Amino acid sequence: MSAAVVWGVIGGMALTNILMRGVPILLLSRLKLPTIMERWLGYIPVCVMSAIVATSVLRPGGAWLSPLHNPYLLAAVPTAVVYRFSKSFLGATVAGVVAFLALRYLLG
Amino acid sequence: MPATDLSTLHGAGARASLLRGARLGMPIFLGYLPIGMAFGIAAIALGFTVAQASGCSALVIAGAGQFIAVETLRGGGGLAAALIATGVVNLRYVLFSATMSPRLHEYPRWQQFLLAFTLTDETFALNISDAREGKADAYSMLGVGAISWLGWTLGTTIGGLAGSAIGDPRAWGVDFAMPAMFTALLVGQVTGRRELVAAALAAVLALGLTLVLPGEWAVITAAVGTATVMTAVRP
Protein backbone atom coordinates (compact mmCIF):
# COMPACT_ATOMS: atom_id res chain seq x y z
CA MET A 1 0.00 0.00 0.00
CA SER A 2 1.43 3.37 -0.98
CA ALA A 3 2.11 5.98 1.69
CA ALA A 4 -0.29 8.35 -0.07
CA VAL A 5 -3.20 5.88 0.23
CA VAL A 6 -2.46 5.23 3.91
CA TRP A 7 -2.30 8.95 4.78
CA GLY A 8 -5.42 9.49 2.66
CA VAL A 9 -7.29 6.90 4.72
CA ILE A 10 -5.98 8.38 7.97
CA GLY A 11 -6.88 11.95 6.95
CA GLY A 12 -10.32 10.88 5.77
CA MET A 13 -11.00 8.96 8.97
CA ALA A 14 -9.84 11.89 11.10
CA LEU A 15 -12.15 14.25 9.22
CA THR A 16 -15.14 11.86 9.36
CA ASN A 17 -14.70 11.38 13.09
CA ILE A 18 -14.27 15.01 14.06
CA LEU A 19 -17.33 15.97 12.02
CA MET A 20 -19.52 13.33 13.69
CA ARG A 21 -18.21 14.21 17.14
CA GLY A 22 -18.05 17.96 16.71
CA VAL A 23 -20.99 19.13 14.64
CA PRO A 24 -23.74 18.17 17.14
CA ILE A 25 -21.84 19.86 20.00
CA LEU A 26 -21.09 22.99 17.98
CA LEU A 27 -24.68 23.33 16.70
CA LEU A 28 -26.80 22.06 19.59
CA SER A 29 -24.85 23.70 22.41
CA ARG A 30 -25.94 27.10 21.07
CA LEU A 31 -29.63 26.13 21.12
CA LYS A 32 -32.09 25.65 23.92
CA LEU A 33 -33.35 22.11 23.30
CA PRO A 34 -37.04 21.32 23.90
CA THR A 35 -37.63 19.76 27.33
CA ILE A 36 -38.74 16.47 25.83
CA MET A 37 -35.51 16.26 23.82
CA GLU A 38 -33.41 16.98 26.91
CA ARG A 39 -35.34 14.31 28.82
CA TRP A 40 -34.74 11.83 26.00
CA LEU A 41 -31.01 12.64 25.89
CA GLY A 42 -30.90 12.34 29.68
CA TYR A 43 -31.76 8.64 29.40
CA ILE A 44 -29.04 7.94 26.83
CA PRO A 45 -26.03 7.59 29.20
CA VAL A 46 -27.56 5.02 31.58
CA CYS A 47 -28.99 3.08 28.63
CA VAL A 48 -25.67 3.05 26.74
CA MET A 49 -23.73 1.97 29.83
CA SER A 50 -26.18 -0.78 30.70
CA ALA A 51 -26.25 -2.07 27.12
CA ILE A 52 -22.44 -2.08 26.96
CA VAL A 53 -22.10 -3.89 30.29
CA ALA A 54 -24.76 -6.47 29.42
CA THR A 55 -23.27 -7.31 26.03
CA SER A 56 -19.63 -7.22 27.13
CA VAL A 57 -20.05 -9.44 30.21
CA LEU A 58 -22.69 -11.86 28.91
CA ARG A 59 -21.42 -12.07 25.33
CA PRO A 60 -17.69 -11.35 25.57
CA GLY A 61 -16.14 -11.44 22.11
CA GLY A 62 -19.63 -11.82 20.62
CA ALA A 63 -20.50 -15.30 21.95
CA TRP A 64 -22.66 -16.43 24.87
CA LEU A 65 -20.81 -17.97 27.82
CA SER A 66 -22.53 -20.14 30.41
CA PRO A 67 -23.06 -17.88 33.49
CA LEU A 68 -21.23 -20.14 35.96
CA HIS A 69 -18.21 -20.46 33.67
CA ASN A 70 -18.10 -16.84 32.60
CA PRO A 71 -15.23 -14.91 34.27
CA TYR A 72 -16.50 -11.63 32.75
CA LEU A 73 -19.90 -11.95 34.41
CA LEU A 74 -18.55 -13.20 37.74
CA ALA A 75 -15.82 -10.52 37.90
CA ALA A 76 -18.44 -7.81 37.34
CA VAL A 77 -19.86 -8.58 40.82
CA PRO A 78 -16.75 -7.63 42.87
CA THR A 79 -16.19 -4.70 40.49
CA ALA A 80 -19.65 -3.32 41.29
CA VAL A 81 -19.20 -3.92 45.04
CA VAL A 82 -15.81 -2.19 45.11
CA TYR A 83 -17.22 0.82 43.27
CA ARG A 84 -20.28 0.94 45.52
CA PHE A 85 -18.11 1.30 48.61
CA SER A 86 -15.01 3.09 47.30
CA LYS A 87 -16.60 5.41 44.68
CA SER A 88 -13.31 5.01 42.80
CA PHE A 89 -13.41 4.13 39.11
CA LEU A 90 -9.71 3.29 39.13
CA GLY A 91 -10.02 1.13 42.27
CA ALA A 92 -13.02 -0.70 40.83
CA THR A 93 -11.29 -1.24 37.48
CA VAL A 94 -8.10 -2.63 39.05
CA ALA A 95 -10.12 -4.84 41.45
CA GLY A 96 -12.19 -6.05 38.50
CA VAL A 97 -9.15 -6.98 36.42
CA VAL A 98 -7.55 -8.84 39.38
CA ALA A 99 -10.83 -10.71 40.03
CA PHE A 100 -11.12 -11.48 36.33
CA LEU A 101 -7.58 -12.92 36.17
CA ALA A 102 -8.21 -15.06 39.26
CA LEU A 103 -11.56 -16.32 37.95
CA ARG A 104 -10.21 -17.05 34.50
CA TYR A 105 -7.39 -19.06 36.10
CA LEU A 106 -9.80 -20.94 38.41
CA LEU A 107 -12.32 -21.66 35.66
CA GLY A 108 -9.57 -22.88 33.36
CA MET B 1 -25.82 20.68 35.93
CA PRO B 2 -25.01 24.31 35.16
CA ALA B 3 -21.72 24.62 33.31
CA THR B 4 -18.94 26.01 35.45
CA ASP B 5 -18.21 29.66 34.86
CA LEU B 6 -14.82 29.57 33.20
CA SER B 7 -13.99 33.15 34.14
CA THR B 8 -13.39 31.80 37.65
CA LEU B 9 -11.26 28.93 36.40
CA HIS B 10 -7.78 30.09 35.57
CA GLY B 11 -4.21 29.20 36.43
CA ALA B 12 -4.05 27.02 39.50
CA GLY B 13 -7.77 26.16 39.43
CA ALA B 14 -7.61 25.08 35.82
CA ARG B 15 -4.44 23.08 36.42
CA ALA B 16 -5.92 21.33 39.46
CA SER B 17 -9.02 20.51 37.46
CA LEU B 18 -6.99 19.21 34.52
CA LEU B 19 -4.99 16.95 36.87
CA ARG B 20 -8.15 15.74 38.57
CA GLY B 21 -9.53 14.79 35.15
CA ALA B 22 -6.32 12.99 34.22
CA ARG B 23 -6.49 10.99 37.46
CA LEU B 24 -10.17 10.23 36.89
CA GLY B 25 -9.30 9.01 33.38
CA MET B 26 -6.61 6.57 34.56
CA PRO B 27 -8.89 3.51 34.10
CA ILE B 28 -9.34 4.55 30.47
CA PHE B 29 -5.57 5.00 30.08
CA LEU B 30 -5.04 1.48 31.45
CA GLY B 31 -7.71 0.06 29.17
CA TYR B 32 -6.60 1.91 26.04
CA LEU B 33 -2.90 1.12 26.33
CA PRO B 34 -3.25 -2.61 25.46
CA ILE B 35 -6.04 -2.09 22.90
CA GLY B 36 -3.85 0.59 21.29
CA MET B 37 -1.00 -1.94 21.25
CA ALA B 38 -3.25 -4.46 19.51
CA PHE B 39 -4.14 -1.81 16.94
CA GLY B 40 -0.45 -0.99 16.42
CA ILE B 41 0.31 -4.66 15.79
CA ALA B 42 -2.62 -5.00 13.36
CA ALA B 43 -1.69 -1.84 11.45
CA ILE B 44 1.96 -2.90 11.08
CA ALA B 45 0.82 -6.29 9.82
CA LEU B 46 -1.18 -4.47 7.14
CA GLY B 47 1.88 -2.54 6.00
CA PHE B 48 1.54 0.72 7.96
CA THR B 49 4.77 2.24 9.27
CA VAL B 50 5.01 2.96 13.01
CA ALA B 51 4.55 6.68 12.21
CA GLN B 52 1.40 5.95 10.20
CA ALA B 53 -0.07 3.67 12.88
CA SER B 54 0.66 6.21 15.64
CA GLY B 55 -0.53 9.10 13.48
CA CYS B 56 -3.76 7.24 12.81
CA SER B 57 -4.43 6.76 16.52
CA ALA B 58 -3.37 10.31 17.41
CA LEU B 59 -5.63 11.91 14.77
CA VAL B 60 -8.60 9.54 14.68
CA ILE B 61 -8.81 8.19 18.27
CA ALA B 62 -11.56 5.69 17.46
CA GLY B 63 -11.04 2.12 18.64
CA ALA B 64 -13.54 0.04 16.71
CA GLY B 65 -13.57 2.53 13.84
CA GLN B 66 -9.83 2.12 13.29
CA PHE B 67 -9.92 -1.67 13.53
CA ILE B 68 -12.74 -1.87 11.02
CA ALA B 69 -10.88 0.41 8.58
CA VAL B 70 -7.77 -1.78 8.82
CA GLU B 71 -9.90 -4.90 8.32
CA THR B 72 -11.60 -3.32 5.29
CA LEU B 73 -8.24 -2.43 3.74
CA ARG B 74 -6.89 -5.91 4.43
CA GLY B 75 -9.96 -7.40 2.77
CA GLY B 76 -9.11 -5.49 -0.41
CA GLY B 77 -11.58 -2.65 0.10
CA GLY B 78 -10.34 0.73 -1.08
CA LEU B 79 -10.16 4.13 0.55
CA ALA B 80 -13.87 4.87 0.13
CA ALA B 81 -14.92 1.50 1.61
CA ALA B 82 -12.62 2.03 4.61
CA LEU B 83 -14.02 5.52 5.22
CA ILE B 84 -17.63 4.36 4.95
CA ALA B 85 -16.94 1.47 7.34
CA THR B 86 -15.36 3.71 9.98
CA GLY B 87 -18.10 6.30 9.52
CA VAL B 88 -20.87 3.77 10.04
CA VAL B 89 -19.24 2.21 13.10
CA ASN B 90 -18.70 5.65 14.63
CA LEU B 91 -22.17 7.06 13.91
CA ARG B 92 -22.92 6.63 17.59
CA TYR B 93 -20.62 9.61 18.30
CA VAL B 94 -23.32 11.84 16.79
CA LEU B 95 -25.64 10.71 19.58
CA PHE B 96 -22.98 11.10 22.30
CA SER B 97 -22.05 14.52 20.97
CA ALA B 98 -25.70 15.61 21.04
CA THR B 99 -26.09 14.24 24.58
CA MET B 100 -23.02 16.19 25.77
CA SER B 101 -24.03 19.42 24.05
CA PRO B 102 -26.36 20.94 26.69
CA ARG B 103 -23.55 20.65 29.25
CA LEU B 104 -20.99 22.43 27.08
CA HIS B 105 -22.87 25.52 25.98
CA GLU B 106 -20.83 28.02 28.00
CA TYR B 107 -17.46 26.70 26.96
CA PRO B 108 -15.41 28.44 24.29
CA ARG B 109 -15.20 26.88 20.84
CA TRP B 110 -11.63 25.59 21.24
CA GLN B 111 -12.62 23.63 24.33
CA GLN B 112 -15.71 22.26 22.60
CA PHE B 113 -13.47 21.22 19.70
CA LEU B 114 -10.96 19.42 21.94
CA LEU B 115 -13.75 17.71 23.89
CA ALA B 116 -15.34 16.60 20.61
CA PHE B 117 -11.96 15.40 19.32
CA THR B 118 -11.46 13.14 22.38
CA LEU B 119 -15.09 11.95 22.55
CA THR B 120 -15.21 8.14 22.79
CA ASP B 121 -17.57 5.66 24.46
CA GLU B 122 -15.35 5.74 27.53
CA THR B 123 -14.67 9.49 27.85
CA PHE B 124 -18.36 10.17 27.19
CA ALA B 125 -19.49 7.78 29.92
CA LEU B 126 -16.94 8.98 32.46
CA ASN B 127 -17.45 12.71 31.84
CA ILE B 128 -21.23 12.52 31.86
CA SER B 129 -21.18 10.56 35.13
CA ASP B 130 -18.80 13.09 36.66
CA ALA B 131 -21.00 15.94 35.38
CA ARG B 132 -24.10 14.38 36.92
CA GLU B 133 -22.38 14.48 40.27
CA GLY B 134 -21.75 18.15 39.65
CA LYS B 135 -17.96 17.76 39.69
CA ALA B 136 -17.04 18.09 36.00
CA ASP B 137 -15.86 21.28 34.38
CA ALA B 138 -14.24 21.96 31.01
CA TYR B 139 -10.71 21.33 32.33
CA SER B 140 -11.52 18.09 34.12
CA MET B 141 -13.17 16.80 30.94
CA LEU B 142 -10.13 17.92 28.92
CA GLY B 143 -7.94 16.03 31.44
CA VAL B 144 -9.98 12.87 30.89
CA GLY B 145 -9.68 13.38 27.12
CA ALA B 146 -5.92 14.01 27.24
CA ILE B 147 -5.02 10.96 29.35
CA SER B 148 -7.26 8.77 27.18
CA TRP B 149 -5.68 10.13 23.98
CA LEU B 150 -2.23 9.49 25.47
CA GLY B 151 -3.04 5.88 26.39
CA TRP B 152 -4.44 5.13 22.96
CA THR B 153 -1.61 6.80 20.99
CA LEU B 154 1.19 5.57 23.25
CA GLY B 155 -0.23 2.03 23.14
CA THR B 156 -0.29 2.12 19.35
CA THR B 157 3.33 3.30 19.18
CA ILE B 158 4.47 0.57 21.61
CA GLY B 159 2.51 -2.05 19.67
CA GLY B 160 3.96 -0.78 16.40
CA LEU B 161 7.53 -0.84 17.67
CA ALA B 162 7.41 -4.11 19.56
CA GLY B 163 5.17 -5.88 17.07
CA SER B 164 4.16 -9.39 17.87
CA ALA B 165 7.23 -9.78 20.18
CA ILE B 166 5.09 -8.66 23.13
CA GLY B 167 2.58 -11.44 22.61
CA ASP B 168 -1.14 -11.13 23.18
CA PRO B 169 -1.95 -8.30 25.63
CA ARG B 170 -5.15 -10.17 26.58
CA ALA B 171 -3.05 -12.57 28.64
CA TRP B 172 -2.79 -9.78 31.26
CA GLY B 173 -6.55 -9.67 31.82
CA VAL B 174 -6.80 -6.23 30.25
CA ASP B 175 -9.76 -7.21 28.10
CA PHE B 176 -11.80 -6.84 31.28
CA ALA B 177 -10.51 -3.31 32.03
CA MET B 178 -13.16 -1.49 29.97
CA PRO B 179 -16.08 -3.76 30.97
CA ALA B 180 -14.98 -3.22 34.60
CA MET B 181 -14.98 0.54 34.21
CA PHE B 182 -18.40 0.49 32.55
CA THR B 183 -19.73 -1.72 35.36
CA ALA B 184 -18.58 0.86 37.91
CA LEU B 185 -20.04 3.69 35.80
CA LEU B 186 -23.35 1.86 35.55
CA VAL B 187 -23.52 1.39 39.33
CA GLY B 188 -22.97 5.14 39.67
CA GLN B 189 -25.67 5.95 37.10
CA VAL B 190 -28.45 3.87 38.62
CA THR B 191 -29.58 6.36 41.24
CA GLY B 192 -33.31 5.68 41.30
CA ARG B 193 -36.17 3.50 40.18
CA ARG B 194 -36.47 5.14 36.77
CA GLU B 195 -32.77 4.63 35.98
CA LEU B 196 -33.02 1.03 37.18
CA VAL B 197 -35.95 0.33 34.85
CA ALA B 198 -34.15 2.01 31.94
CA ALA B 199 -30.94 0.06 32.63
CA ALA B 200 -32.78 -3.27 32.81
CA LEU B 201 -34.75 -2.58 29.65
CA ALA B 202 -31.67 -1.45 27.71
CA ALA B 203 -29.71 -4.53 28.83
CA VAL B 204 -32.41 -6.99 27.77
CA LEU B 205 -33.01 -5.17 24.51
CA ALA B 206 -29.28 -5.01 23.68
CA LEU B 207 -28.82 -8.73 24.37
CA GLY B 208 -31.78 -9.58 22.18
CA LEU B 209 -30.54 -7.31 19.41
CA THR B 210 -27.06 -8.91 19.37
CA LEU B 211 -28.80 -11.88 17.73
CA VAL B 212 -29.52 -9.77 14.66
CA LEU B 213 -27.14 -6.78 14.80
CA PRO B 214 -23.38 -6.26 15.27
CA GLY B 215 -22.45 -5.33 18.87
CA GLU B 216 -22.04 -1.57 18.41
CA TRP B 217 -25.41 -1.34 16.68
CA ALA B 218 -27.18 -3.49 19.24
CA VAL B 219 -25.95 -1.14 21.99
CA ILE B 220 -26.96 2.06 20.24
CA THR B 221 -30.32 0.72 19.00
CA ALA B 222 -31.16 -0.53 22.51
CA ALA B 223 -30.22 2.84 24.01
CA VAL B 224 -32.26 4.85 21.50
CA GLY B 225 -35.24 2.49 21.84
CA THR B 226 -35.18 2.48 25.63
CA ALA B 227 -34.76 6.27 25.90
CA THR B 228 -37.75 6.69 23.58
CA VAL B 229 -39.94 4.28 25.57
CA MET B 230 -38.92 5.85 28.89
CA THR B 231 -39.60 9.38 27.62
CA ALA B 232 -42.97 8.31 26.21
CA VAL B 233 -44.25 6.56 29.35
CA ARG B 234 -42.99 9.10 31.87
CA PRO B 235 -46.12 10.52 33.51
Side-chain angles (χ1 to χ4, degrees):
Chain A
M1 220 176 341
S2 79
V5 171
V6 172
W7 286 114
V9 170
I10 293 170
M13 282 165 68
L15 191 65
T16 312
N17 276 304
I18 193 60
L19 286 176
M20 286 193 295
R21 289 161 160 162
V23 169
I25 287 179
L26 292 180
L27 293 183
L28 297 181
S29 64
R30 290 293 185 269
L31 303 174
K32 176 80 188 95
L33 294 179
T35 312
I36 190 144
M37 186 71 191
E38 286 201 343
R39 198 177 292 164
W40 186 83
L41 288 173
Y43 278 112
I44 294 295
V46 70
C47 294
V48 167
M49 289 173 212
S50 181
I52 289 178
V53 169
T55 52
S56 61
V57 305
L58 285 166
R59 286 174 58 91
W64 291 99
L65 282 185
S66 141
L68 290 177
H69 296 93
N70 180 344
Y72 294 83
L73 178 63
L74 299 175
V77 178
T79 306
V81 171
V82 169
Y83 179 73
R84 179 80 179 69
F85 290 102
S86 70
K87 294 281 169 201
S88 159
F89 291 118
L90 183 59
T93 303
V94 171
V97 168
V98 171
F100 174 75
L101 280 173
L103 284 160
R104 196 171 60 176
Y105 176 75
L106 289 173
L107 297 171
Chain B
M1 182 210 80
T4 309
D5 178 8
L6 284 175
S7 59
T8 63
L9 248 181
H10 280 304
R15 198 156 43 240
S17 220
L18 202 61
L19 284 175
R20 187 186 150 269
R23 265 197 310 274
L24 190 68
M26 274 311 288
I28 306 184
F29 178 87
L30 293 178
Y32 278 8
L33 203 62
I35 313 174
M37 284 165 63
F39 176 75
I41 295 169
I44 297 296
L46 184 74
F48 279 42
T49 63
V50 175
Q52 287 166 340
S54 307
C56 186
S57 285
L59 294 171
V60 181
I61 178 166
Q66 288 177 221
F67 276 103
I68 205 98
V70 167
E71 282 306 312
T72 308
L73 290 173
R74 179 161 38 213
L79 191 144
L83 290 185
I84 291 169
T86 187
V88 168
V89 167
N90 288 335
L91 260 182
R92 66 189 187 285
Y93 294 144
V94 173
L95 180 66
F96 296 166
S97 178
T99 305
M100 288 298 285
S101 64
R103 298 178 187 277
L104 307 180
H105 69 280
E106 285 180 13
Y107 299 161
R109 289 283 194 208
W110 68 270
Q111 290 177 343
Q112 291 185 343
F113 174 82
L114 285 177
L115 290 172
F117 176 67
T118 54
L119 180 68
T120 65
D121 298 3
E122 291 78 15
T123 61
F124 166 73
L126 195 57
N127 280 329
I128 207 118
S129 294
D130 199 37
R132 269 190 46 159
E133 290 179 20
K135 294 192 228 155
D137 58 52
Y139 288 98
S140 76
M141 290 196 267
L142 288 171
V144 168
I147 196 78
S148 305
W149 177 88
L150 186 66
W152 180 240
T153 306
L154 187 65
T156 304
T157 307
I158 295 172
L161 289 172
S164 44
I166 45 180
D168 187 350
R170 279 179 304 181
W172 317 330
V174 291
D175 45 346
F176 191 67
M178 289 298 98
M181 190 188 77
F182 277 112
T183 302
L185 284 165
L186 178 62
V187 172
Q189 283 283 316
V190 180
T191 48
R193 211 176 115 86
R194 203 157 35 222
E195 288 80 10
L196 186 63
V197 173
L201 186 58
V204 171
L205 204 53
L207 285 168
L209 286 166
T210 54
L211 302 177
V212 288
L213 290 174
E216 320 270 345
W217 286 100
V219 165
I220 228 61
T221 311
V224 166
T226 305
T228 306
V229 170
M230 294 300 294
T231 310
V233 300
R234 182 185 155 132

